[in-house]
């Protein structure tokens, strides 16, 4: 992952669109691999045509929103991210589940996406899906172990 200006070519007024994936493998309502990939690529095409500076892939339709994704979700997400990154003309990022920072950082590294998003990094949050209590030092240390030069 790189600094914002290096990724987007500017420091501010960055417009990032969302690629919301249908339910992934192992999640109720999973529509099949082809449907998920076609939707992701169509969303990317629409965002690029509309002039967005980047796109964020997330599996928001995977319910219930638990803090961590399953192995099946992660494996499927990797495939989708790889296909999107190869097709993209804009920077791509990922966010897995509501706050699965480990999966997000690892998927970013293996797929070559340029950024990640975490809903919660510092504060304890209570939301409709439960409690999230991140440990910023643990997240930072993990990121450094994956991206040691940052």
């Amino acid at each position: 992952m790189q600094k914002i200006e290096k990724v987007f070519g500017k420091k501010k007024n960055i417009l990032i669109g969302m690629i919301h994936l249908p339910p992934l493998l192992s999640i109720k309502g999973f529509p099949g691999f082809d449907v998920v990939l076609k939707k992701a690529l169509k969303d990317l095409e629409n965002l690029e045509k509309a002039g967005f500076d980047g796109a964020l892939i997330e599996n928001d339709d995977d319910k219930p929103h638990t803090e961590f994704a399953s192995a099946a979700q992660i494996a499927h997400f990797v495939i989708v991210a790889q296909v999107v990154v190869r097709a993209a003309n804009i920077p791509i990022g990922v966010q897995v589940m509501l706050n699965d920072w480990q999966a997000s950082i690892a998927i970013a590294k293996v797929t070559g996406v340029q950024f990640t998003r975490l809903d919660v990094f510092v504060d304890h949050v209570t939301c409709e899906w439960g409690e999230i209590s991140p440990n910023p030092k643990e997240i930072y240390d993990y990121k450094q172990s994956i991206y040691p030069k940052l």
Side-chain angles (χ1 to χ4, degrees), residues 17 49 57 69 118 134:
K49 282 182 182 175
I57 306 167
L118 298 177

Side-chain angles (χ1 to χ4, degrees), residues 83-98:
V83 170
V84 170
V85 165
R86 288 182 186 135
N89 296 307
I90 56 177
I92 302 297
V94 295
Q95 177 177 359
V96 179
M97 300 303 287
L98 184 62

Side-chain angles (χ1 to χ4, degrees), residues 29-128:
F30 169 61
F33 290 104
D34 289 343
V35 171
V36 174
L37 280 175
K38 284 180 185 174
K39 182 186 180 308
L41 290 171
K42 185 63 177 169
D43 286 353
L44 172 65
E45 179 185 345
N46 290 336
L47 294 170
E48 288 179 340
K49 282 182 182 175
F52 280 76
D53 299 307
L56 180 77
I57 306 167
E58 70 175 7
N59 59 332
D60 193 53
D61 282 346
D62 286 1
K63 306 280 193 240
H65 276 289
T66 56
E67 193 166 337
F68 302 105
S70 71
Q73 289 169 285
I74 293 169
H76 191 186
F77 202 119
V78 165
I79 292 168
V80 173
Q82 285 176 326
V83 170
V84 170
V85 165
R86 288 182 186 135
N89 296 307
I90 56 177
I92 302 297
V94 295
Q95 177 177 359
V96 179
M97 300 303 287
L98 184 62
N99 212 61
D100 192 341
W101 53 269
Q102 250 184 344
S104 295
I105 293 168
I107 289 170
K109 180 65 174 185
V110 300
T111 63
V113 304
Q114 292 91 349
F115 63 97
T116 58
R117 174 183 172 214
L118 298 177
D119 276 19
V120 183
F121 180 70
V122 178
D123 300 323
H124 171 86
V125 172
T126 302
C127 63
E128 65 184 287

